[in-house]
Amino acid sequence: MSDPTLESIVATHGHVDNSFNIAVHPLLEIVQSIINRSTYVVERNVGNMKVEEETVDHMFKSPNINLPFCTLKAISCELSIGSCKLAGEVREDVARELTLSILKKLSNCSWDAKAVLTVAAFALDYGEFWHLVEPHQSDHLARPLAILKGASVLLKKPAELQKGRQTIAEFNRLIKRTLQVILLIYELETLSRSYSSKDVPELAIASELIPVAVYWVIRTTLACTTNIAIFISKDHEDKSAGDLDLLVSSVQKINRMADDLNFHISNCKKQIVPIDTHVLLVKLFHRTPFRINEVLKAMIFGNNIERIKKYEAQTYEALINIAEGLEGKKVLWFFSNVDVSDDFITKVIIPNGEKIKKEIIEQYQIVWIPIVYEWTNEAKVKFNQLVKNKPWFPVQYFSLIAGISFIKIEWQFKNKPMVVVTSSQGKVEYRNNALAVVDQISIWDYIIPQLDPTYPEWFRPFEKYMIDIDKDITSTWIKEGKCIFFYGGKDSVWIKEFEEKATKIIEEAKAEIKLVCLNKISSKLAGQFWSTVENLFLSLIKMDINNQQANERAIREVRKLISYRNEKGWAILFKGLNVVTSGYGTTISKVFDDFEKWRDQLTNDSKFEDIFEKYHDKVVKENSKVCYRFEIENGSEKEIPHHALQCPSCSRAMRRFLSFNCCHEDNVE
């Protein structure tokens, strides 16, 4: 007869009746105590094993529980009647029907409650049986009870125990294994109540095992009850080995269930670690006083610190040494895989001592946390090569860090090189989650201005793009404060018209201005440019509120620039790295079209850029519909304070809209 299908098992499960509230955990503790002490008695009398009684049930504390006695007695009766049927003739189909019958009686219970109630009913008789085998001399009630229970056979003839020694020992192991499966079912059910399968996908797979596991727990319990009936009956020697083997064939099933449940629970716990660590890190970053050592340990190890201490002591000590070096410092967290180049780290991540003052550099410590999903030997070799001769703290932990969920959700890590700067109190001061490996723009060009609000070169990151697009433009040109029209857009017709108008008017005005078109670089590099703009914006708005006024112009211009990303046309007039003016293609074109109206203002004492800015401001004011909208791809709503959401044109508060776009760039193979 084949095993029952999952459908037939699930069909016995009805709606869980919450009014029939069973305290599963306290009942499970009672069952554990009975089973452990009973198997101890067996091992002491049969197994010739030296077991210290204290190790069996160190201190059993009676839990406060209302037991469902009627249900327990009903299941006990089912087991007794079933065992009598099977003791007479062992049949797989009968065992299956009896098991399904018990499941139906418990249809309104949760799956873990079904298993615990059935084994509790078994433990009621099993514990009493072995308790009567070893009665205390003063216990005069035990002997007549032992006769009724069948334990008198063992009392009068201890040799009976030794005859079936191997069978009883195997039977004892089966009971222990069944209890282990129940504990695993309970653990899995507990995890299912605490976490969703959306967050822990393995739970969905593991939960499918529970009905089948409960079936085999009940089936095995029935087999154990039958085995006792056979053993205490006088005809147990007449039972063929084949019949007994058929009856306890559930041994293989229950062992397989234990292995499968252990495997899936282990996978569930691996998926749960980042979730629990995420919650922990949020608390630690907001705790006062802030403790960087606890944050770093949680970021790498999560809640597994004790295990790491025991099995990876050297790794733990190395991390503690890193934490000591971070006390009282601003921390530059650098996350990347091991495929970044040494040149990228040197130029982008490591501060240049020739350009940045020593006292500024000393305020920071750099921590590199490699994010590697599979640490191969090749990955380890790359890691060891990258960490050499650099003024930073690399974290050598050849597993995926526990804080991966935290950095993905809170810091928007997208499996690309990312930098986050936190203050000595754990406050995020800067984040860049879209570092372009080919950019070679020092991250310190973004960070340093936050230390000095008068720092003039907010747009230093754009210098590289201008030079890459037009080889005639050099750093010297920019430093000398010469003018550049930086422009682009989705409409190639507008770009062509802009170039024709701008070239003609610049010549007539005898101005020295370069034209630099963003569209002349690849779409990939253009995408990196816009990510650079976004990160500059996020950097600016995270500055201290007291410095906002000093950087108001820069913030406004960056907001405007972000809004140009999907426009037909736009242009920015730079003087060096200072923005003179910027606008949509419509307003910029209008200024060129009206050249005859303002050309007379170009005198020897006036400059082209000043007149152009003045007239452009006039055009914008006359066009009341010129307001802005912008999208931030790499930021989150909570990162953008209210004061940063003002229209660059009319200064009114801008409304927030949610936008969702499916993207597979950060998927890991």
Side-chain angles (χ1 to χ4, degrees), residues 429-461:
E429 295 186 338
Y430 174 75
R431 178 179 65 78
N432 187 327
N433 65 349
L435 287 174
V437 177
V438 298
D439 247 1
Q440 303 294 294
I441 299 174
S442 174
I443 194 67
W444 298 93
D445 286 342
Y446 300 103
I447 297 170
I448 294 303
Q450 299 191 67
L451 299 176
D452 182 3
T454 63
Y455 190 83
E457 298 182 339
W458 280 109
F459 292 88
R460 174 65 63 190

Side-chain angles (χ1 to χ4, degrees), residues 10-27:
V10 174
T12 66
H13 188 61
H15 177 70
V16 176
D17 187 357
N18 293 324
S19 63
F20 184 56
N21 190 16
I22 298 173
V24 176
H25 186 259
L27 183 56

Side-chain angles (χ1 to χ4, degrees), residues 76 180 222 318 327 360 363 387 394 411 459 476 517 628 647:
S76 180
Q180 289 175 5
L222 181 61
E327 289 290 347
I360 292 178
Q363 296 179 34
V387 300
W411 290 350
F459 292 88
T476 303
C517 182
Y628 296 82
C647 177

Side-chain angles (χ1 to χ4, degrees), residues 221-238:
T221 304
L222 181 61
C224 291
T225 307
T226 304
N227 228 353
I228 293 175
I230 293 173
F231 184 78
I232 63 177
S233 65
K234 293 182 179 180
D235 64 339
H236 68 276
E237 293 180 352
D238 298 331

Side-chain angles (χ1 to χ4, degrees), residues 14 23 45 59 137 149 153 219 309 350 363 396 421 446 453 471 483 513-514 546 566 578 648:
N45 286 276
M59 282 189 69
Q137 289 183 353
K149 281 287 183 181
V153 176
R219 177 81 173 261
K309 280 184 181 179
I350 305 300
Q363 296 179 34
Q396 181 172 321
V421 177
Y446 300 103
K471 301 304 179 184
C483 291
I513 302 175
K514 288 283 187 180
N546 294 326
N566 295 311
N578 292 314

Side-chain angles (χ1 to χ4, degrees), residues 58-111:
H58 184 58
M59 282 189 69
F60 174 70
K61 295 181 179 180
S62 179
N64 185 15
I65 180 176
N66 292 320
L67 289 172
F69 289 107
C70 292
T71 303
L72 287 173
K73 290 304 269 183
I75 301 304
S76 180
C77 289
E78 287 279 337
L79 291 172
S80 297
I81 294 170
S83 66
C84 291
K85 289 181 180 179
L86 292 171
E89 182 183 3
V90 178
R91 289 175 53 187
E92 280 284 336
D93 58 336
V94 174
R96 185 185 66 179
E97 292 305 317
L98 288 168
T99 304
L100 291 174
S101 175
I102 293 174
L103 280 170
K104 290 174 184 176
K105 282 189 177 295
L106 298 172
S107 61
N108 293 332
C109 299
S110 62
W111 286 106

